[in-house]
DNA sequence: ACGAACCGAAAGCTACGACTTACCAAGGAC
DNA sequence: GTCCTTGGTAAGTCGTAGCTTTCGGTTCGT
């Protein structure tokens, strides 16, 4: 989980759709593939990327594999955005104060 | 600002580095290029993408162009992650409650 | 008015990533 | 034990995103 891999993972439309779907409820590979315009192996490959990025976890259920969103991974991204946001705001603060006189 | 373009924008390592740099302080194109391992035109192209994604804004300053982070754009991504996070958590909740008996 | 600094646009090349088809493995039903 | 469902893996193709070099356009200084 190189902490940045998650950004690259979410940068793909298919993977983003998968994450959005898994946010609703945990799902098996076939279920996901049925709602997406790509083949099942493609979904498998994307899930592999998402898993190594720490964004999803999986567990076996018979012949099926149930994937679910990993809240920890999502939280890590959110925290990073929070940092960016806070720093950008403080920059704004400084600028507007400079421009006051 | 197709709201998703921002994810694709952040999915590139160079653009992510640019955003991180702009989070520290507003900078000109040349400044950014000096700290990155890519050419200045490449930085320009990335800034174009980031701008159309609503993640940065620019303003002219003589012959220079000062780019800064757009807090609104960053906040939009954070909110989306918040949604994912909340839904994943409630999924967990339901699952663990189902497994109780 | 001329030169320098700074930047965006165009053109072209290369590499990588997303997808498909085909195959193989594992588990459950009967 | 056999069949069927479910998924991951391998191999191969194709598009495109990212980069560089080159050129053109503004703006400031002197």
């Amino acid at each position: 989980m190189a902490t940045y891999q998650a950004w690259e993972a979410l940068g793909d439309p298919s993977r983003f759709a998968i994450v959005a779907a898994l946010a609703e409820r945990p799902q098996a590979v076939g279920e996901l593939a049925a709602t997406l315009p790509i083949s099942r192996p493609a979904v498998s490959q994307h899930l592999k990327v998402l898993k190594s990025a720490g964004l999803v976890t999986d567990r076996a259920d018979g012949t099926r594999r149930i994937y679910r969103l990993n809240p920890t991974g999502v939280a890590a991204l959110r925290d990073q955005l929070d940092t960016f946001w806070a720093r950008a705001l403080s920059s704004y603060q400084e600028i507007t104060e400079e421009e006051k006189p």
Side-chain angles (χ1 to χ4, degrees), chain A residues 28-101:
Chain A
V29 181
E31 284 181 281
L32 289 168
T35 68
L36 293 173
I38 58 179
S39 69
R40 188 192 49 71
V43 175
S44 258
Q45 294 169 5
H46 284 309
L47 286 171
K48 185 178 180 181
V49 173
L50 289 172
K51 184 180 175 184
S52 84
L55 286 175
V56 303
T57 60
D58 62 336
R59 95 187 143 79
D61 174 32
T63 69
R64 308 198 312 164
R65 292 227 125 222
I66 310 297
Y67 282 82
R68 70 175 55 191
L69 209 57
N70 180 12
T72 307
V74 176
L77 297 187
R78 196 199 45 173
D79 289 348
Q80 205 156 13
L81 283 181
D82 256 335
T83 306
F84 288 165
W85 188 69
R87 290 184 181 168
L89 277 192
S90 67
S91 279
Y92 262 126
Q93 195 77 6
E94 291 169 7
I95 298 297
T96 49
E97 282 180 1
E98 283 175 1
E99 288 173 350
K100 268 197 181 161

